[in-house]
Amino acid sequence: KSFKRQRYMDIMKGLRLTPDEYKQLKRAFQGGFTHANPFYSGKMVSGVTSFDFTSSYPCVMLSEKFPMSSSEVIPITSKGQLEQNLKLYCCLFDVEFIGLQSRLWFDSYISISRCWGVKTPVVNNGRVVSASHLFTTVTEQDFMIIKQFYTWEHLKIGTFRRYKKDYLPTDFVKAILKLYHDKTTLKDVEGKEIEYLKSKEMLNSCYGMAVTDIVRPEIIYSGDNWQTPETPDFVQAIKDYNGNRSRFLFYPWGVWITAYARRNLFSGIYSCGEDYVYSDTDS
């Protein structure tokens, strides 16, 4: 056990963040996609069927490759270099779109709340249909979806980070598999309702803990009073995170978990085409 622990700790020592990187990751992080085809919104639709990605987040945690190094900032000088990096690495970057226009009418991917410097946007319930100008932060998975759903006149790449990618640590993967086994075998078993709920909560927390805010206000209860929340020093909080010997998760993992799940969801949306009505995170 001590050897396993040391091996895991050695992995985590190589996974460190900088304050600017953490801010960029926060800009890129999105949860599930919940949206409707605008042409069906507000209407009663009959003859509808649906499909769920069972345990969408645990699935991508087992099947996809994640950032398994500290990041490297590199300049992007050509389209070929961009495409090569997007193919070989987990990539995080700021991007400026000029003359952005949706290719498809049945849904739009970019969330207006994740953009800045936006000019003349057309927005469908929070999603950008078109804009003459906008900035946003994306992973390579987001960019893959954007290329499929939009066209643009010009593209400029800002701060570009890349991570070596690999599967999550074996011991962590084994823990996910154990929790998933417990959840599926205990479901609908009489007398095992509590154990089922516990295994389901633990399975979900594997994702949730990964993407918990590193720099968050602390609310202290003292002398029968709640004190005013105090936000810790940003730089010190990141330093403490990097140096935490009991840490077993890496914030970028959580960012990519949802990005991979959205990519899977949008492959379904794209395949449904004009028949697509509505989606919600994993269905």
Side-chain angles (χ1 to χ4, degrees):
K1 283 186 177 180
S2 60
F3 172 74
K4 275 189 174 184
R5 177 177 171 76
Q6 187 59 51
R7 184 178 61 187
Y8 205 106
M9 286 173 63
D10 289 343
I11 292 172
M12 300 315 296
K13 281 180 187 176
L15 305 179
R16 304 170 73 84
L17 299 174
T18 68
D20 285 344
E21 177 186 3
Y22 178 61
K23 290 176 183 176
Q24 193 175 19
L25 285 162
K26 289 278 287 181
R27 292 198 301 272
F29 173 62
Q30 299 182 58
F33 181 89
T34 303
H35 210 246
N37 180 334
F39 288 85
Y40 288 119
S41 182
K43 296 178 180 177
M44 290 290 289
V45 186
S46 60
V48 174
T49 188
S50 65
F51 181 84
D52 278 19
F53 294 95
T54 305
S55 297
S56 178
Y57 290 176
C59 174
V60 299
M61 292 169 80
L62 299 176
S63 60
E64 301 291 350
K65 292 184 177 180
F66 290 85
M68 289 301 293
S69 71
S70 294
S71 71
E72 177 187 10
V73 180
I74 64 166
I76 297 296
T77 57
S78 69
K79 183 179 179 182
Q81 185 202 14
L82 172 64
E83 290 176 351
Q84 186 77 349
N85 276 280
L86 295 176
K87 182 179 178 181
L88 298 177
Y89 295 89
C90 285
C91 301
L92 171 75
F93 55 102
D94 299 330
V95 59
E96 176 184 3
F97 290 107
I98 298 166
L100 185 75
Q101 178 65 52
S102 181
R103 291 177 187 269
L104 307 164
W105 59 263
F106 51 82
D107 215 335
S108 306
Y109 179 74
I110 297 172
S111 175
I112 190 75
S113 66
R114 294 293 173 178
C115 302
W116 69 95
V118 183
K119 295 179 182 176
T120 62
V122 174
V123 182
N124 165 30
N125 194 22
R127 302 288 164 173
V128 178
V129 178
S130 65
S132 61
H133 197 203
L134 69 74
F135 295 84
T136 191
T137 305
V138 296
T139 68
E140 82 287 347
Q141 299 302 316
D142 297 303
F143 191 69
M144 189 186 307
I145 301 166
I146 290 169
K147 279 207 303 184
Q148 196 172 34
F149 277 73
Y150 293 89
T151 60
W152 53 83
E153 294 171 14
H154 299 288
L155 172 77
K156 294 181 182 178
I157 304 294
T159 302
F160 188 99
R161 299 177 191 274
R162 68 183 188 185
Y163 304 81
K164 292 177 182 176
K165 63 180 181 180
D166 206 342
Y167 295 109
L168 293 176
T170 302
D171 293 319
F172 187 40
V173 168
K174 285 180 178 177
I176 296 168
L177 286 168
K178 171 70 165 61
L179 290 167
Y180 183 73
H181 174 268
D182 291 347
K183 179 195 139 182
T184 51
T185 55
L186 294 171
K187 188 173 184 179
D188 299 326
V189 176
E190 192 174 342
K192 295 290 184 179
E193 293 82 4
I194 293 174
E195 289 87 345
Y196 166 72
L197 288 173
K198 280 186 176 180
S199 61
K200 185 177 180 179
E201 287 166 4
M202 288 285 286
L203 183 64
N204 291 340
S205 73
C206 291
Y207 152 71
M209 289 188 297
V211 81
T212 299
D213 277 357
I214 298 169
V215 187
R216 56 188 183 275
E218 295 179 348
I219 304 172
I220 300 169
Y221 184 72
S222 176
D224 296 329
N225 289 306
W226 290 105
Q227 296 182 0
T228 304
E230 293 182 9
T231 302
D233 177 81
F234 192 91
V235 174
Q236 186 60 46
I238 300 297
K239 186 177 179 181
D240 293 343
Y241 173 85
N242 289 332
N244 185 351
R245 289 174 59 84
S246 62
R247 176 169 64 90
F248 62 98
L249 296 168
F250 190 37
Y251 186 84
W253 294 351
V255 176
W256 262 263
I257 289 167
T258 56
Y260 281 127
R262 285 194 305 277
R263 181 207 64 197
N264 291 343
L265 182 71
F266 267 81
S267 69
I269 291 172
Y270 190 83
S271 297
C272 286
E274 296 179 6
D275 288 333
Y276 160 72
V277 176
Y278 170 81
S279 61
D280 186 352
T281 308
D282 63 351
S283 59

